Amino acid sequence: MALDTYTTAAPGSDLWPVTWGPDNHLYSAWGDGGGFGGSDSDGRVSMGIARIEGGPENYRAINVNGGKNPEHSASFRLKGKTSGIEFVGGNSLRDH
């Protein structure tokens, strides 16, 4: 890994399985923390979903479900964690 290019964009959030979506964006689920732009306490949810648009040098990260300033409020009521995420037939399926 090239440490001079390493960045931390979601401190306090962990797990981060990733899948490629039908819209050519990356989608990821995380456990704990506030997701992108959040912290271990700011926007903290038990599990959230994020979208990553663009390439490694000019990406844009959006909290889709849960986290700090999400497109949609957290919809995961239970205290589960993610172990994977995938799209099937254009729909996101989450294993939590």
Side-chain angles (χ1 to χ4, degrees), residues 27-90:
Y27 287 81
S28 185
W30 79 84
D32 300 326
F36 290 108
S39 69
D40 197 29
S41 57
D42 189 12
R44 184 180 178 90
V45 293
S46 179
M47 189 171 85
I49 303 290
R51 180 177 63 250
I52 304 165
E53 302 174 355
E57 295 179 5
N58 63 347
Y59 73 91
R60 179 173 174 237
I62 300 102
N63 294 327
V64 175
N65 189 289
K68 183 173 182 178
N69 301 321
E71 290 181 338
H72 306 280
S73 298
S75 61
F76 305 104
R77 305 279 185 242
L78 302 177
K79 296 288 183 183
K81 299 293 181 229
T82 183
S83 62
I85 182 172
E86 68 179 326
F87 277 87
V88 175

